[in-house]
Amino acid sequence: MFSDYSTSELMSIFAMQGFAGLTLFSVFVLMALGLAIIFGQMGVINMAHGEFMILGAYITYLTSNIFSQWLPGLYGSYFFVAMIFAFIAAGLLGMLVEWLIIRHLYHRPLDTLLATWGVSLILQQTYRSVFGAREVGVSMPDWMMGSYPLTDLVEVPINGIFVMCLAIGTTCVIAALMYRSRWGIQVRAVVQNRTMAGAVGINTQKVDRMTFGLGCGIAGIAGSAFTMIGSIGPTSGQLYIVDTFLVVVFGGAASLLGTVASAFTISQAQSTMEFFLSGSMAKVLTLLFVVGVLMIRPQGLFTLKVRR
Amino acid sequence: MKSSGFWGSLFSRHDTLSFVVLALILLVVLPLSLDIFRLSLMGKYMTYAFVALGLALCWGYGGVLSLGQGVFFGLGGYMLAMFLKLESSDPESTAIQTTPGIPDFMDWNQITELPWFWEPFYSFPFTLAAVLVVPTAFAYLIGVAMFKRRVSGVYFAIITQAIAAILTILIIGQQGYTGGVNGITDLRTLLGWNIRSDFARYVFYFVCVGLLLLCIVISQFVSRSKLGRILVAMRGAEDRVRFSGYDVANFKTFVFCLGAAFSAIGGAMFTLQVGFMSPSFIGIVPSIEMVIFCAVGGRLSIYGSVYGALLVSWARTAFSESFPELWLFAMGALFIAVVLAFPDGLAGLYNQYGRRHVERQLDKWLLTLKSSTRTASVKGVAHERQ
C-alpha cells in the first residue's frame, strides 16, 4: 500500500496524518486527564464522563450564541470565557453527583459503574430535551480559521494548534497541582489510605468532592475544545467513553505521564492507519492492539510502585 | 415431600417452589392471558433472561462482571442468522441479483462469491453446534488470557466492554460480509418452515421456555454444588481460595464460559423469534442494559435475574410506547436506585420481606398435605381391616 506514493508524498502524508492525530491526541488527553484523576486516583468508574464533556461543549455553544448576539465585537475571545464557564459548570455538576451518589459507593467500585451509567442516561435525555436531538455546531472565531503552511505540501490547521496548546497547558497545570501543591499531596494521601489520611487531619470528604469536581471540570474543558473540531449531539459523549477508559487503563491508571503517553500512542496509531485503511478498521486494529497489550501487561504502560 | 435423589440435590424446597412458580407463569399464565403478538414479545424478553441468568452466575456468584455479554448474545444470534439467511437466499429467490445464490447485502456490496466462513453455515447441525461452541470458545480464550494474568474486577469489565466495542465496529465496518449496521435481515424459513407464522411463534415461545428452564436447572446445579461454593468463596476472598490450593483462574474461566453459552442460546432464540439480528444488540449499550436486568432482579438470585430481565424489558416497551421522553430518565433512575438502595435487587427485597411468610405457608401446606395423605392411607388400611 506504500508503493503508490513517492517518498516525499509519504512523508507529508505522515506529517499531515500525524498532525490530525495530534488533534485527536489533544482531545484524548483532555478527556483522559479528568478520567485519570477520577478513575486512576479515586478508583471511581465514571461512565458519565463523556456526558460531562458534552456539558462543556453545550456551554461553549451557548456562550458563543450569547456573544454573537450581544457582544459581536468580542466574538474573537468568546472561547476563553466559554472554557471557564464549561469548567465551572461541569465541575459543579460533578460535585453534585459526587455528593448525591458517588460518596456512598467508594468501597464498591463496580457499582459506581452502574450508577454513573444511570447518570449518563439521565444527562443524555436532559440534553435531548433542552437542546434537541440534532447535532449543533459552533462557528469558530476568525483567528482560528485557516491553516498555517509549513512546507508546500504540509499545512497545519490553526484550530488544531490551538487545541493542542490547550491540552499541553492543562496537563502542565494538573501535573503541578497534583505533584507540587499541598492539595495534591492531600489527594494522593486520601487515595493511598483513606483512614490514615483522615486520622492525620485531612478532610477526606472535602478532598474527594473537590477531586471529583476537578476531574469533571477538566472534562468540561475537553468538551469546549471538542467544539473546535466537531459538532456535538446528546450522545456524542458516549462515543468516546470506551476510548477514554482504554487510554487511562493502557497508560497505567495512576500515572499522569502514562495517560499522556498512551493517548499519544493510541491517537497516532489510529490516525496514521486511518489514511491507509478504512476508519473502522483502523479503530478495530488500534483497540485490538490495546486490548492485546493489556492482556500481556494488565497494569498498563507506566505504574506507580505503591505499597498498599 | 421430603426432597431427595437427583432433584433434591439440585433444588432446595424453596427453589422448587420458585422453579414451579416460574414454569407455571411462563408455560400457563402468559400463553393463556396474552395474544400472540404480546406473547412473542415476551419470548423476546425471555432471550435476555438467558443473558441475565449467565450474569447472575458470573457476577453474582463468581464476582466477575462482564460488560461484554452482548458479544456472546450477538455471536449466537449472528450464527443462526447466517444459516437462515443462506436458506432464504437460494438461487431462485435471488435471481434478480448480479450473483444469484448469495445473501442480498453481499450483492449490494459488490461481493461475487460467498466468503469462506459463510460456507459451513449451509449445514444445520454445524450451525447448531457453532451457536454453542464458538461463543464459548471465544469466552474461553478471553477468560484464559485475562484470568491467568489475574486481571479482574474493574479492569476485566473495561476490557470486555472494549471487546464489545471492537466487535460492533468490525461488524458495521465489514458490511459486505456481515450486513453492516442493518444486520442480517429478512429471514423467512427454518428448514423450509415459515418462521413468521403464528404457529411458529407459539412453537418458538415454548422452545424458548424449555431452554430457559433447562438453563435454570444447570444454574441450580452450579450454585448448589461444591463448584458454586468455591465461586462464592472466590468472590469473597480470592486470595484465600488460591492459597487453599484451588486454581482460581480455571473456575472464573468456567463460569464466564457458562455465561457466554447461555447468552449465545439467548441470542439464537432472539434471531428466531424476532427474525433478524443486528449490531445494535451487541455493543456497549445493550451489554450494560443486560447487566441492569440482572441487577434489578437480584444479582445473587437465579430466579430474580430472570424476573428482572422480563420486567425491565416489559417496562421499557410499555414506557417507550406511552412516554418515549421519560424512558431514559426512568432507566437512569432505575440504575441509580438499584445500586444505592437495593443492591440485591427484587430478590433481595423478597428475601427480606416475603420469603419468611412464603416459607411458613409452604411448611404449613406441606404438613397438611402429608398428614392428609397419612390419614388417608391409615383410613385405607383401617378400611381394609374391617
Side-chain angles (χ1 to χ4, degrees), chain A residues 201-236:
Chain A
I202 297 173
N203 185 347
T204 55
Q205 288 187 344
K206 194 176 148 200
V207 169
D208 282 335
R209 196 154 310 143
M210 295 300 284
T211 318
F212 196 83
L214 178 72
C216 294
I218 298 169
I221 295 184
S224 248
F226 189 71
T227 57
M228 296 289 103
I229 39 184
S231 55
I232 38 171
T235 50
S236 312

Side-chain angles (χ1 to χ4, degrees), chain A residues 27-233:
Chain A
V27 175
F28 272 176
V29 164
L30 283 171
M31 261 194 91
L33 270 183
L35 204 63
I37 292 173
I38 291 172
F39 174 58
Q41 301 288 335
M42 303 173 76
V44 173
I45 312 175
N46 184 16
M47 294 302 282
H49 202 72
E51 276 64 38
F52 284 106
M53 174 179 118
I54 294 304
L55 176 70
Y58 274 123
I59 296 280
T60 313
Y61 166 72
L62 286 182
T63 319
S64 85
N65 279 0
I66 291 171
F67 266 71
S68 67
Q69 196 137 31
W70 284 297
L71 300 166
L74 293 173
Y75 194 74
S77 61
Y78 87 88
F79 187 77
F80 301 99
V81 182
M83 213 171 67
I84 294 166
F85 280 156
F87 179 78
I88 294 172
L92 283 180
L93 185 65
M95 282 157 86
L96 180 71
V97 168
E98 201 274 349
W99 181 68
L100 283 175
I101 300 166
I102 309 289
R103 68 185 170 128
H104 306 289
L105 299 171
Y106 281 120
H107 52 288
R108 295 187 298 179
L110 282 178
D111 286 356
T112 60
L113 188 156
L114 296 178
T116 48
W117 182 261
V119 173
S120 86
L121 291 183
I122 292 177
L123 287 178
Q124 272 176 32
Q125 186 56 43
T126 314
Y127 299 150
R128 199 170 289 138
S129 312
V130 176
F131 298 101
R134 294 230 331 263
E135 297 208 332
V136 293
V138 172
S139 53
M140 279 187 281
D142 293 333
W143 60 270
M144 243 188 255
M145 307 266 213
S147 57
Y148 176 74
L150 217 55
T151 66
D152 45 345
L153 278 176
V154 182
E155 282 190 340
V156 289
I158 291 178
N159 60 351
I161 301 178
F162 179 77
V163 171
M164 211 164 66
C165 295
L166 187 66
I168 294 171
T170 318
T171 314
C172 294
V173 171
I174 297 299
L177 211 54
M178 291 303 282
Y179 296 109
R180 290 284 176 273
S181 77
R182 201 174 166 72
W183 180 78
I185 295 177
Q186 291 189 347
V187 171
R188 285 180 292 146
V190 172
V191 167
Q192 284 184 18
N193 194 328
R194 196 172 296 270
T195 329
M196 274 314 288
V200 296
I202 297 173
N203 185 347
T204 55
Q205 288 187 344
K206 194 176 148 200
V207 169
D208 282 335
R209 196 154 310 143
M210 295 300 284
T211 318
F212 196 83
L214 178 72
C216 294
I218 298 169
I221 295 184
S224 248
F226 189 71
T227 57
M228 296 289 103
I229 39 184
S231 55
I232 38 171

Side-chain angles (χ1 to χ4, degrees), chain B residues 98-162:
Chain B
T98 334
T99 327
I102 63 170
D104 47 10
F105 59 83
M106 289 187 189
D107 196 60
W108 300 333
N109 287 288
Q110 283 89 40
I111 286 174
T112 49
E113 207 179 343
L114 199 66
W116 59 270
F117 59 88
W118 275 75
E119 289 287 347
F121 288 93
Y122 274 117
S123 147
F124 188 56
F126 175 85
T127 309
L128 284 188
V131 161
L132 269 183
V133 172
V134 173
T136 315
F138 189 48
Y140 180 76
L141 272 182
I142 299 173
V144 167
M146 311 276 263
F147 297 133
K148 288 279 181 204
R149 304 202 64 88
R150 302 195 187 169
V151 179
S152 59
V154 174
Y155 289 84
F156 183 76
I158 290 173
I159 290 181
T160 45
Q161 190 175 43

Side-chain angles (χ1 to χ4, degrees), chain B residues 49-308:
Chain B
F50 285 91
V51 187
L53 193 59
L55 272 169
L57 288 180
C58 272
W59 180 34
Y61 281 84
V64 177
L65 175 57
S66 155
L67 293 183
Q69 292 303 97
V71 169
F72 310 117
F73 186 81
L75 279 177
Y78 259 97
M79 280 193 264
L80 196 67
M82 280 159 89
F83 171 77
L84 297 175
K85 187 72 197 171
L86 283 181
E87 190 178 306
S88 59
S89 18
D90 55 298
E92 286 120 62
S93 52
T94 54
I96 48 164
Q97 290 175 183
T98 334
T99 327
I102 63 170
D104 47 10
F105 59 83
M106 289 187 189
D107 196 60
W108 300 333
N109 287 288
Q110 283 89 40
I111 286 174
T112 49
E113 207 179 343
L114 199 66
W116 59 270
F117 59 88
W118 275 75
E119 289 287 347
F121 288 93
Y122 274 117
S123 147
F124 188 56
F126 175 85
T127 309
L128 284 188
V131 161
L132 269 183
V133 172
V134 173
T136 315
F138 189 48
Y140 180 76
L141 272 182
I142 299 173
V144 167
M146 311 276 263
F147 297 133
K148 288 279 181 204
R149 304 202 64 88
R150 302 195 187 169
V151 179
S152 59
V154 174
Y155 289 84
F156 183 76
I158 290 173
I159 290 181
T160 45
Q161 190 175 43
I163 292 173
I166 292 173
L167 193 68
T168 323
I169 299 171
L170 192 67
I171 287 178
I172 293 177
Q174 300 296 315
Q175 56 175 338
Y177 300 113
T178 59
V181 74
N182 295 323
I184 300 181
T185 53
D186 204 18
L187 309 170
R188 287 179 224 119
T189 55
L190 172 71
L191 300 172
W193 185 56
N194 184 1
I195 62 170
R196 289 170 176 175
S197 67
D198 280 357
F199 175 65
R201 287 180 171 192
Y202 269 114
V203 171
F204 290 143
Y205 176 82
F206 284 107
V207 170
C208 197
V209 175
L211 286 171
L212 184 65
L213 294 179
L214 180 70
C215 287
I216 291 178
V217 173
I218 297 174
S219 314
Q220 281 285 358
F221 170 73
V222 169
S223 71
R224 296 269 292 176
S225 64
K226 196 176 160 194
L227 175 66
R229 288 286 154 85
I230 294 172
L231 288 178
V232 173
M234 226 164 56
R235 185 190 68 205
E238 192 177 321
D239 281 335
R240 288 194 198 174
V241 178
R242 188 175 286 129
F243 298 151
S244 312
Y246 292 103
D247 190 342
V248 170
N250 282 346
F251 287 101
K252 282 190 174 175
T253 313
F254 171 77
V255 77
F256 185 52
C257 288
L258 191 66
F262 285 178
S263 311
I265 299 174
M269 287 314 295
F270 182 89
T271 304
L272 270 183
Q273 299 190 68
V274 181
F276 74 99
M277 190 71 210
S278 87
S280 58
F281 303 105
I282 293 182
I284 297 164
V285 179
S287 298
I288 291 193
E289 275 177 7
M290 291 165 187
V291 172
I292 205 66
F293 294 156
C294 178
V296 168
R299 64 184 82 164
L300 296 173
S301 160
I302 290 169
Y303 301 96
S305 60
V306 173
Y307 287 115

